[in-house]
Amino acid sequence: MKLLKYFGCSAILMSAAMLQAQDAAEVEQLKKKLQQLQEQFEKAQNEHQKQMKALMQQIDGLQQKQSSLTADQQQLKDQMSQPMADAAKASSLEKGRWRPSDPISLLQRDSSYLNLSLSGLFAAGGSTANDLSSLQLGGHDPSQRGFTVQNVEAVFEGAVDPYFRGQANTIFFIDRDGETVVELEEAYLESLSLPWNLQLKAGQYYTEFGRHNPTHPHAWAFVDIPLVNGRFLGPDGLRNPGARLSWLMPTPFYSELFLGVQNSHGETAFSFRSGEGHGHEGESEGLPFAFRENENDRGVRNLDDLLLAPRYAVSFDLTDTQTLLLGASGAFGPNSSGESGNNDTQIYGADLTWKWRSSRHQGGFPFVTWQTEGMLRNYRAGSFDWDEEGDLGDADGNGFPDEGVLVDASTGLPAAFSRETLTDYGFYSQVLYGFRKGWVAGLRFDFVTGSRGDYEKLPLILADNAGGGASAGRDLLRRERWRFSPNLTWYPSEFSKVRLQYNYDDRRDIGVDHSVWLQLEFLLGSHAAHKF
Amino acid sequence: MKAFYWLFMAVALWGATAHAKLNVVATTPDLGAIAREIGGDRIDLTVLARPTEDPHFVDAKPSFIVKLNRADALLEGGAELESGWLRPLIEGARNPRLAQGEPGRIVCSEGIHLLEIPAELDRSKGDVHALGNPHFMTDPQNGKIVAQHVAEAFCRLDKKSCDYYRANLERLTLQLDQKMIEWQRLMEPHQGKRVVTYHNFWLYFSERFGLKMDLYLEPKPGIPPSPSHLAEVMRTMTSEKVRVIAVQPYLNRRIAETVASHTGATVVDLQSFPNGSKGGGSYIEWMDSLVKSLAAALKK
């Protein structure tokens, strides 16, 4: 019995143990399964998360894609949502496109049909020269002690249609008499889509002669214009109504050929048929240029009587940071010197611009530019007799030549000049160093002179109506002169500048003068892009 | 003389026929990098701005006129990014293929949701961008949008290679998506952290990765740092424990270093564009270096 009991017990125990073992195995299995499930679940969850993420990104992309509809669709969308947008929102820029019903707000390009800007250029200073109006050759140079409103310029600019771009620069300034003067500086069309790499410009524009001439006062690097420009191209620069064709040549480097045809008369056709205007109040306070009145206004009869202005410019990138631009220009046309005849003027110019700009510049700084321009003018002066009325220059009949009549001392009669060619030449060279953001130091050297004309070899006397008078001396409008101008400019931002300049002026037969000018500029509206 | 003429004609003819490749000009290196990904060897690419220079003030070199004159397509950022220099170049280039609205004129900001569009224009607040912040390529999602835009434009210009461009777009988009997960994981621990920069160049980047890069060394856009402004920045940095100053190649590193030495922050160099001296050549490599160098600096 006992044995049976033991047996039973052991059997039970054994079976229990077996059961236990079986149980353990099952638990193990279950555990494994659970783990597997867990892993699977985790995997699924991961995958799910990934999918979610991808979906989110897709949505993101789609949303952005939706906003990347073409401009037209965008506009349509804008228009559709327009009624819903409240008035406040409509005034914000978010809507982008300007519509004719909107008030004209003077915004940047792309948001209006017309880009407007206004710049004001003012100067203050003084000089040791008493004839400041002769010392400073430019019409917009500071030319009086105290304050000068040099140039207040309104620029209107924009695309006219797919074929043309239009621009007009009107200038206001206050002259020495306090009178406000308005000038139409430039107003022209420029073609956008001529074939064969051609471009046409037509209207009133600055002749593309050299580097300085086509530059507007607010873009000058100095407070005044170079002497060669003042003497040969005039106080306001060479600009006139006309048309110009340019051709971008199919060379691997930049090279462009310009040919302009402009009127040769008017105040701004200095050195040409500017007529009475030629003896601008600039350098001559007494005698006119070449001691002859400009009375030969023969009008336009054929193409030769227009002003022809060719230019060729070529540019190379010397290194990644250095660029060279070379140019050769010409201006050929009739002049109104003397009383009659076909007299003409030829001006030749050569220019060089070298620029270095750091490959890590900020706001364009630091940089160094070196710009030099040389010009040569052959001016065929017409014959002129100071005894214009045939009364020996004695209109009041007192027996002596009247005051202001030029008399040849060797004969005692009013001077008579025959035709001759007068050659003048000169150059300027300037270096600008933008040494830190907003700061530019500049240095300019000017030189200009003329070969002695036959008329300057005569013993001329400026009569005083009493049988005497002062010696006329050399023609001061062609006399040797040089100038040295250091300056410093600070640009608080792109839209304003403060400039201090000193001029050391040496005029042969007149003497040395010192001038100091402080210049201020502001700019409102859209800022025109910088050209090279 | 006659030989010269024939030589010239031959060169001209060769130039006209041999260039079956699309001649593409990109204004900035980031757009160039996208164009290279999409266009591959079917395009000839010229990038105007160097990766190290200030993209707002690129020199309008005459040689660029020649490049634009011969281009089939121009990629520009738009939104006034290049307004200081591009227009006279395009006018000088007289290339009808690049006229506004032509398929060759690819304005990459179109379709981008631009941020920081000013409600009113007032330059007393500095040089503001009327159309919004133009540095949108610093967000890889925008890079994807631009890539798609470029691929579509290339397709329109060169239908034969359209499949090729689309395939490249697919590949780039996939790569960007994969990378994006990695980048976001790297940036995850730094959510909401502030970083000092010089100029508001990284707006889109910081929006994407949850950073706050809104403390600037310049007091107003385009206005150089003043001592009083820097002092205020340093005060904010110490009070908020801002540890990182990011500078770009064209910016004054010395100012950043001075500020860093006073506040114990680290200066980290971020390349403004791909193909910079340190960052890699491609768009993804560039973004990778941006994320990694910032994450590393923020971890310190």
Side-chain angles (χ1 to χ4, degrees):
Chain A
M1 199 52 216
K2 224 173 187 176
L3 194 78
L4 201 77
K5 209 174 175 181
Y6 273 111
F7 185 79
C9 263
S10 64
I12 288 166
L13 268 170
M14 252 170 69
S15 67
M18 263 169 67
L19 208 79
Q20 219 172 5
Q22 215 175 6
D23 251 9
E26 219 166 312
V27 165
E28 203 63 39
Q29 236 172 0
L30 275 169
K31 255 189 193 164
K32 247 185 203 162
K33 224 172 205 172
L34 190 73
Q35 214 169 355
Q36 258 172 0
L37 270 170
Q38 216 159 12
E39 262 168 321
Q40 258 171 3
F41 179 71
E42 252 167 27
K43 218 170 170 182
Q45 203 175 22
N46 269 353
E47 229 148 17
H48 187 68
Q49 248 170 355
K50 254 188 211 161
Q51 272 173 346
M52 281 273 280
K53 221 167 209 173
L55 271 170
M56 291 273 276
Q57 271 156 6
Q58 247 172 359
I59 289 169
D60 224 1
L62 275 171
Q63 267 173 345
Q64 270 153 327
K65 212 194 290 179
Q66 199 173 22
S67 59
S68 78
L69 297 170
T70 60
D72 284 359
Q73 283 168 304
Q74 180 91 44
Q75 214 166 12
L76 198 73
K77 210 176 82 189
D78 280 356
Q79 276 164 4
M80 275 160 65
S81 60
Q82 185 61 22
M84 289 186 284
D86 54 325
K89 205 163 181 192
S91 75
S92 93
L93 275 160
E94 205 132 8
K95 288 282 148 257
R97 301 273 179 276
W98 182 86
R99 276 172 291 270
S101 56
D102 290 347
I104 296 178
S105 47
L106 310 179
L107 309 177
Q108 268 82 348
R109 68 194 215 88
D110 294 344
S111 33
S112 65
Y113 293 133
L114 174 69
N115 302 315
L116 270 181
S117 73
L118 185 80
S119 67
L121 199 59
F122 311 93
S127 170
T128 57
N130 289 318
D131 57 337
L132 252 177
S133 58
S134 329
L135 185 78
Q136 296 292 92
L137 300 189
H140 297 282
D141 290 354
S143 55
Q144 58 187 350
R145 290 180 184 151
F147 296 88
T148 306
V149 177
Q150 285 186 270
N151 183 68
V152 176
E153 182 169 343
V155 185
F156 308 81
E157 187 271 340
V160 177
D161 53 28
Y163 313 107
F164 295 106
R165 188 183 78 83
Q167 179 171 335
N169 300 49
T170 54
I171 283 188
F172 307 87
F173 72 97
I174 297 174
D175 69 9
R176 276 186 287 275
D177 302 323
E179 202 76 46
T180 298
V181 181
V182 181
E183 278 179 1
L184 186 62
E185 192 180 43
E186 289 198 284
Y188 61 82
L189 283 177
E190 202 171 48
S191 74
L192 296 174
S193 54
L194 279 191
W196 307 304
N197 286 340
L198 295 174
Q199 189 184 56
L200 181 78
K201 189 190 230 184
Q204 156 87 359
Y205 64 90
Y206 272 119
T207 312
E208 275 129 342
F209 188 106
R211 292 287 284 165
H212 186 273
N213 191 64
T215 319
H216 292 270
H218 90 89
W220 296 349
F222 291 80
V223 302
D224 38 24
I225 62 172
L227 296 179
V228 275
N229 286 79
R231 274 210 182 162
F232 302 159
L233 304 177
D236 279 330
L238 188 58
R239 58 183 160 90
N240 244 356
R244 177 277 271 162
L245 201 62
S246 89
W247 178 39
L248 186 65
M249 295 167 76
T251 48
F253 48 88
Y254 167 84
S255 84
E256 191 168 359
L257 198 60
F258 303 80
L259 183 65
V261 182
Q262 284 168 294
N263 281 347
S264 62
H265 65 276
E267 216 185 316
T268 50
F270 193 83
S271 286
F272 299 94
R273 294 193 303 129
S274 57
E276 298 298 324
H278 187 138
H280 71 106
E281 54 180 329
E283 278 186 296
S284 76
E285 274 184 340
L287 288 160
F289 180 79
F291 295 177
R292 295 156 166 91
E293 299 292 353
N294 282 292
E295 290 171 347
N296 177 14
D297 197 3
R298 58 185 191 272
V300 175
R301 291 160 306 188
N302 56 47
L303 209 63
D304 284 354
D305 290 328
L306 292 170
L307 174 66
L308 230 67
R311 173 172 167 80
Y312 177 65
V314 59
S315 170
F316 307 95
D317 290 339
L318 303 177
T319 66
D320 220 18
T321 52
Q322 290 177 53
T323 307
L324 185 71
L325 176 73
L326 301 168
S329 313
F332 312 108
N335 69 51
S336 52
S337 170
E339 283 147 353
S340 62
N342 286 327
N343 306 315
D344 61 347
T345 306
Q346 297 128 29
I347 308 176
Y348 302 91
D351 55 85
L352 177 153
T353 307
W354 170 87
K355 194 186 276 186
W356 167 84
R357 200 183 293 280
S358 163
S359 60
R360 290 168 169 259
H361 66 79
Q362 185 203 356
F365 295 87
F367 71 87
V368 178
T369 54
W370 173 43
Q371 183 174 318
T372 298
E373 256 185 271
M375 290 183 208
L376 176 106
R377 178 180 65 187
N378 284 324
Y379 187 93
R380 187 93 55 93
S383 57
F384 186 78
D385 191 345
W386 279 85
D387 184 13
E388 282 182 284
E389 309 294 325
D391 54 6
L392 301 176
D394 182 20
D396 58 7
N398 67 351
F400 301 113
D402 295 340
E403 194 180 340
V405 171
L406 206 56
V407 175
D408 187 342
S410 60
T411 59
L413 296 171
F417 305 124
S418 47
R419 240 175 133 196
E420 62 179 309
T421 300
L422 309 173
T423 304
D424 289 85
Y425 55 93
F427 73 94
Y428 75 86
S429 186
Q430 67 186 39
V431 176
L432 301 176
Y433 175 33
F435 54 96
R436 54 177 293 183
K437 199 187 172 203
W439 288 87
V440 182
L443 193 61
R444 181 181 65 189
F445 182 78
D446 273 294
F447 175 79
V448 65
T449 190
S451 64
R452 191 172 184 177
D454 289 340
Y455 68 105
E456 289 177 288
K457 292 171 183 158
L458 298 170
L460 299 174
I461 282 169
L462 199 55
D464 60 0
N465 204 15
S471 166
R474 292 283 297 272
D475 187 347
L476 293 177
L477 296 178
R478 301 185 50 237
R479 202 75 174 105
E480 185 183 304
R481 174 179 179 183
W482 65 272
R483 185 171 68 184
F484 182 70
S485 320
N487 78 2
L488 183 69
T489 310
W490 174 48
Y491 296 86
S493 77
E494 267 185 277
F495 306 99
S496 59
K497 74 168 172 241
V498 183
R499 173 175 291 155
L500 186 66
Q501 181 173 325
Y502 164 74
N503 283 352
Y504 178 94
D505 248 297
D506 189 351
R507 290 179 290 173
R508 196 98 176 247
D509 296 345
I510 296 175
V512 172
D513 282 299
H514 310 272
S515 318
V516 174
W517 304 109
L518 182 70
Q519 192 181 40
L520 276 170
E521 188 197 41
F522 72 80
L523 183 68
L524 295 173
S526 60
H527 189 347
H530 300 275
K531 290 187 180 176
F532 182 78
Chain B
M1 201 59 217
K2 208 157 194 181
F4 243 148
Y5 173 79
W6 284 113
L7 189 71
F8 179 79
M9 287 306 284
V11 168
L13 265 173
W14 176 79
T17 54
H19 269 263
K21 285 184 180 183
L22 265 189
N23 196 346
V24 178
V25 174
T27 56
T28 51
D30 45 1
L31 304 177
I34 296 290
R36 199 174 286 121
E37 295 281 347
I38 303 299
D41 54 8
R42 309 262 169 111
I43 62 165
D44 275 330
L45 178 70
T46 309
V47 177
L48 299 184
R50 285 180 298 251
T52 48
E53 71 182 332
D54 186 342
H56 293 295
F57 293 88
V58 175
D59 222 352
K61 294 179 195 172
S63 60
F64 291 171
I65 293 178
V66 178
K67 283 168 181 158
L68 288 167
N69 175 259
R70 287 153 208 188
D72 297 309
L74 166 67
L75 268 78
E76 60 170 323
E80 296 185 344
L81 178 71
E82 305 95 342
S83 67
W85 53 278
L86 187 60
R87 232 183 100 189
L89 292 175
I90 292 177
E91 277 159 17
R94 57 201 81 175
N95 181 348
R97 294 182 296 274
L98 306 186
Q100 205 71 251
E102 288 295 318
R105 184 77 174 265
I106 307 165
V107 184
C108 296
S109 60
E110 274 174 14
I112 301 287
H113 179 66
L114 291 173
L115 303 175
E116 287 185 342
I117 297 171
E120 55 170 345
L121 294 178
D122 181 356
R123 281 193 186 136
S124 66
K125 293 170 183 160
D127 192 7
V128 293
H129 290 289
L131 303 175
N133 189 314
H135 307 294
F136 51 84
M137 289 297 281
T138 58
D139 174 0
Q141 292 292 2
N142 285 343
K144 257 162 63 180
I145 296 171
V146 169
Q148 185 170 14
H149 189 167
V150 169
E152 278 164 18
F154 283 1
C155 270
R156 245 173 296 158
L157 292 164
D158 176 15
K159 290 190 181 69
K160 272 184 283 177
S161 300
C162 190
D163 290 338
Y164 174 79
Y165 300 137
R166 291 232 166 98
N168 282 343
L169 171 67
E170 197 113 324
R171 185 181 44 77
L172 178 67
T173 311
L174 208 73
Q175 280 173 351
L176 272 169
D177 284 344
Q178 282 168 352
K179 271 286 182 186
M180 194 67 197
I181 296 167
E182 184 191 331
W183 292 332
Q184 262 165 341
R185 197 173 301 143
L186 274 169
M187 282 301 189
E188 201 85 66
H190 310 298
Q191 291 294 306
K193 280 193 190 166
R194 264 186 124 170
V195 174
V196 178
T197 63
Y198 191 101
H199 178 74
N200 195 0
F201 191 91
W202 304 107
L203 171 71
Y204 296 87
F205 180 87
S206 57
E207 290 277 319
R208 175 58 54 195
F209 294 110
L211 294 177
K212 279 166 76 185
M213 299 172 86
D214 57 351
L215 210 54
Y216 312 116
L217 295 180
E218 60 177 18
K220 286 169 182 177
I223 308 295
S226 60
S228 60
H229 176 74
L230 288 181
E232 203 190 305
V233 169
M234 285 192 265
R235 262 198 304 280
T236 318
M237 281 177 75
T238 27
S239 70
E240 294 191 22
K241 300 199 171 57
V242 182
R243 314 285 308 157
V244 176
I245 304 174
V247 287
Q248 288 160 264
Y250 62 83
L251 297 169
N252 193 332
R253 206 173 193 277
R254 248 175 305 162
I255 294 174
E257 273 163 1
T258 312
V259 172
S261 70
H262 282 91
T263 52
T266 34
V267 177
V268 54
D269 289 291
L270 297 185
Q271 302 298 324
S272 329
F273 296 110
N275 238 349
S277 51
K278 269 195 229 152
S282 77
Y283 183 75
I284 287 180
E285 282 170 313
W286 169 60
M287 195 53 69
D288 216 40
S289 81
L290 290 182
V291 172
K292 282 178 181 157
S293 43
L294 257 180
L298 286 165
K299 217 179 262 174
K300 279 183 195 167

